[in-house]
Amino acid sequence: MKIKYVTDVFLDEYKTNFDEKYLPLYRENKIDSINAIFSSENIIESDIDFKYQELETMISDSSVVKANIRRLWESLKHLTIVEASNEKMWVALENTDYLGYHLSQLQESGKILKDASIKSRTIFNRGTKRSLMINNLSMGSYVKNPDIKVRTNLTFNLNYLI
């Protein structure tokens, strides 16, 4: 499988119109509409291979979260720092190959997520490092430790950010 990117033109339009045009699709879990948007005209397939591995969606289980991070890291560990921090890649991956996972994370967390959180988990609307830590796919997920009431971010990208 090849890594995909969204086009520059599409990314600009997507970020500019996210609140009005795209946010409702994620809020309402409209997978067919999202699939239509991320069609071949908005996606570029790169020369970079990766081995797709399906991610599990039980974010309440820390062993699942760790396994997902490992799967992503194993699939993408050959990327350079620049490639691993490219917003166009993460937006494409989470809305094509990992759309089911991305939407399940938004739905599972939906009761506590506000629109701003959905937006920050879907596009980079903060600095690159912060956005990578918030993004549903690049961060892998999060573990909430009920004993100490602290959310701990786990990420395969952490290797690139430190």
Side-chain angles (χ1 to χ4, degrees), residues 7-146:
T7 65
D8 290 324
V9 171
F10 174 73
L11 183 61
D12 287 342
E13 190 275 333
Y14 183 67
K15 291 174 77 168
T16 300
N17 298 310
F18 189 84
D19 291 333
E20 297 82 29
K21 190 173 177 181
Y22 302 107
L23 179 62
L25 302 177
Y26 295 94
R27 198 184 310 122
E28 298 166 19
N29 204 31
K30 298 209 172 187
I31 193 166
D32 291 335
S33 298
I34 297 168
N35 279 330
I37 292 163
F38 286 86
S39 65
S40 59
E41 68 190 37
N42 296 323
I43 297 292
I44 300 168
E45 192 171 274
S46 73
D47 304 355
I48 304 168
D49 289 315
F50 86 106
K51 183 181 175 199
Y52 172 80
Q53 295 184 49
E54 189 170 341
L55 302 178
E56 295 182 48
T57 58
M58 295 177 38
I59 64 170
S60 58
D61 181 345
S62 64
S63 65
V64 170
V65 173
K66 290 175 187 173
N68 282 344
I69 292 168
R70 174 61 66 193
R71 285 183 187 109
L72 281 171
W73 187 82
E74 287 295 331
S75 295
L76 302 171
K77 66 183 178 185
H78 59 286
L79 297 178
T80 67
I81 293 170
V82 171
E83 292 165 337
S85 58
N86 188 326
E87 178 182 17
K88 294 185 297 183
M89 178 192 73
W90 290 113
V91 170
L93 284 175
E94 75 184 357
N95 287 287
T96 57
D97 300 319
Y98 293 103
L99 179 59
Y101 174 80
H102 179 55
L103 291 176
S104 74
Q105 300 308 293
L106 294 177
Q107 293 303 309
E108 189 166 325
S109 302
K111 293 179 180 132
I112 59 170
L113 287 181
K114 303 216 181 313
D115 289 352
S117 185
I118 292 171
K119 184 176 182 177
S120 65
R121 289 169 177 256
T122 305
I123 62 175
F124 286 24
N125 61 351
R126 302 171 191 258
T128 301
K129 289 181 181 183
R130 178 76 177 141
S131 292
L132 284 167
M133 293 302 292
I134 295 171
N135 179 277
N136 260 348
L137 187 58
S138 68
M139 89 171 179
S141 195
Y142 69 86
V143 177
K144 188 172 184 180
N145 184 332

